[in-house]
């Protein structure tokens, strides 16, 4: 497996593969890889001749008071995981390689990004869309893989790819959970023992909401109330949002009719965690 730190190295390698008629899959990550990422890599390895993993903690998608400096990093472990999983290349650029001094072009979306996580993280999706566009232009993959845990991100990327004619297939992959139900996330490492236990309230409250919908409840207020009450039963949990939105437009709905995204963001101590399910 090759490790590339420059855009030029990646371009040259991908050009070579394309000359040979090989297909290329991309898994964009911010590193500190866990089984959720591994499931994306496994799928990409199955569906493409060559797989590129990007490991880049993108400063542009963090707000000024967010955890950019403390975001967990372990590139040695990440590259070993990528190699064992069958990746062909890891792209690990420094911020200066991605954003030169006079960088001033951004990809900003006027729909889909204002609600849910976009409400409390106003510059987040502009940073995500900009870096993902750059990665698409650098790697020029046939397919790119994103987890459903960041459901809004998945919807935003799909929309961007359609708007800007990237010609890349976006593959959404299911949420991978710990045995007890907690959705895998690099940010779980911030949790102490007490908080780790408390964090289970996210998946438990969503299970309650899902059970209600499965039993035929369509009233979104009632579903949100049930999830909220369960979350509020955990003293360490502070709700950022509980939302039920149309899975295509991400606009709030009053009734569960078509496919909906039921999504929550909750602080456990200082750590902000997200989780969701999609009801088709
Ligand atoms: O989901 C992530 O880890 C990041 O938002 C992504 C897509 C790698 C862009 O930095």
């Amino acid at each position: 497996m090759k490790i590339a730190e420059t855009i030029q190295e990646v371009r040259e390698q991908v050009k070579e593969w394309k000359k040979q008629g090989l297909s290329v899959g991309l898994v964009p990550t911010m590193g500190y890889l866990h089984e959720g990422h591994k499931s994306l890599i496994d799928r990409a390895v199955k569906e493409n001749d060559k797989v590129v993993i990007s490991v880049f903690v993108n400063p542009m998608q963090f707000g000024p008071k967010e955890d950019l400096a403390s975001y967990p990093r372990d590139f040695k472990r990440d590259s070993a995981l990528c190699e064992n999983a069958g990746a062909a290349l890891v792209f690990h650029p420094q911020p200066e390689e991605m954003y030169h001094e006079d960088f001033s072009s951004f990809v900003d979306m006027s729909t889909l990004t204002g609600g849910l996580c976009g409400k409390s993280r106003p510059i987040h999706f502009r940073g995500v869309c900009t870096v993902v566009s750059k990665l698409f232009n650098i790697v020029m993959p046939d397919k790119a893989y994103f987890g459903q845990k960041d459901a809004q991100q998945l919807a935003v990327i799909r929309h961007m790819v359609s708007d800007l004619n990237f010609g890349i297939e976006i593959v959404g992959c299911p949420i991978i959970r710990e045995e007890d139900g907690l959705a895998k996330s690099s940010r779980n490492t911030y949790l102490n023992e007490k908080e780790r236990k408390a964090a289970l309230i996210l998946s438990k409250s969503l299970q309650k909401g899902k059970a209600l919908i499965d039993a035929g409840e369509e009233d979104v207020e009632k579903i949100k109330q049930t999830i909220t009450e369960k979350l509020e039963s955990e003293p360490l949990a502070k709700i950022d949002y509980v939302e039920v939105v149309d899975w295509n437009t991400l606009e709030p709905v009053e009734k569960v009719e078509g496919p909906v995204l039921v999504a929550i963001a909750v602080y456990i101590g200082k750590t902000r965690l997200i989780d969701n399910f999609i009801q088709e």
Side-chain angles (χ1 to χ4, degrees):
M1 187 191 73
K2 188 170 175 165
I3 295 173
E5 291 192 354
T6 67
I7 293 166
Q8 195 186 338
E9 283 171 273
V10 179
R11 282 196 198 279
E12 280 168 10
Q13 179 61 83
V14 172
K15 200 171 163 194
E16 194 53 44
W17 290 333
K18 296 240 161 148
K19 228 192 260 167
Q20 296 168 33
L22 302 174
S23 63
V24 177
L26 169 67
V27 183
T29 82
M30 296 207 300
Y32 215 71
L33 305 179
H34 50 69
E35 281 164 46
H37 298 109
K38 170 86 166 45
S39 75
L40 306 182
I41 301 170
D42 287 345
R43 176 127 182 227
V45 166
K46 246 188 230 150
E47 296 182 352
N48 301 274
D49 297 317
K50 298 288 178 188
V51 170
V52 177
I53 320 288
S54 60
V55 174
F56 178 59
V57 182
N58 173 34
M60 199 184 280
Q61 68 189 70
F62 288 78
K65 289 189 183 144
E66 291 182 358
D67 56 344
L68 172 62
S70 60
Y71 196 83
R73 292 159 168 91
D74 188 345
F75 184 65
K76 227 177 174 183
R77 192 172 65 92
D78 289 345
S79 54
L81 187 148
C82 293
E83 183 152 32
N84 290 336
L89 189 153
V90 173
F91 178 40
H92 182 48
Q94 292 303 307
E96 309 80 68
E97 178 70 6
M98 292 297 274
Y99 302 114
H100 48 75
E101 234 172 75
D102 53 352
F103 185 89
S104 61
S105 305
F106 303 92
V107 180
D108 209 351
M109 192 176 290
S110 58
T111 57
L112 301 179
T113 57
L116 304 171
C117 291
K119 223 178 209 167
S120 56
R121 306 188 73 191
I123 59 136
H124 176 67
F125 288 107
R126 183 177 88 148
V128 169
C129 288
T130 302
V131 80
V132 170
S133 298
K134 284 173 70 68
L135 291 168
F136 285 173
N137 285 330
I138 293 164
V139 179
M140 295 202 285
D142 299 285
K143 296 183 183 190
Y145 296 77
F146 294 86
Q148 189 205 299
K149 189 180 139 271
D150 296 296
Q152 186 174 16
Q153 171 172 280
L154 175 59
V156 163
I157 299 291
R158 282 200 168 122
H159 194 83
M160 179 187 82
V161 163
S162 159
D163 278 356
L164 301 182
N165 310 101
F166 273 107
I168 294 168
E169 185 185 331
I170 301 303
V171 182
C173 301
I175 298 177
I176 303 296
R177 296 179 181 280
E178 303 284 355
E179 252 173 50
D180 60 7
L182 179 66
K184 299 246 183 195
S185 163
S186 306
R187 289 191 167 99
N188 291 349
T189 54
Y190 297 151
L191 303 169
N192 65 30
E193 206 179 318
K194 219 167 144 203
E195 290 169 340
R196 171 64 184 77
K197 273 191 196 139
L200 273 186
I201 202 67
L202 277 88
S203 53
K204 281 190 179 151
S205 66
L206 285 176
Q207 276 163 17
K208 269 201 118 175
K210 175 144 183 53
L212 204 58
I213 299 176
D214 287 342
E217 184 58 75
E218 291 184 344
D219 185 334
V220 162
E221 268 321 305
K222 283 190 188 150
I223 297 159
K224 281 168 62 170
Q225 194 187 334
T226 299
I227 295 172
T228 302
E229 279 169 11
K230 182 73 184 169
L231 286 169
E232 284 173 347
S233 72
E234 170 49 63
L236 291 185
K238 193 173 143 266
I239 297 173
D240 180 2
Y241 66 75
V242 173
E243 293 288 355
V244 180
V245 297
D246 181 295
W247 174 222
N248 293 312
T249 63
L250 302 188
E251 289 297 325
V253 292
E254 286 178 6
K255 270 186 112 180
V256 176
E257 286 164 328
V260 291
L261 168 69
V262 180
I264 59 178
V266 179
Y267 286 92
I268 302 291
K270 284 191 177 144
T271 307
R272 185 176 176 279
L273 300 175
I274 55 173
D275 201 349
N276 69 77
F277 67 89
I278 293 164
Q279 188 80 13
E280 296 288 349

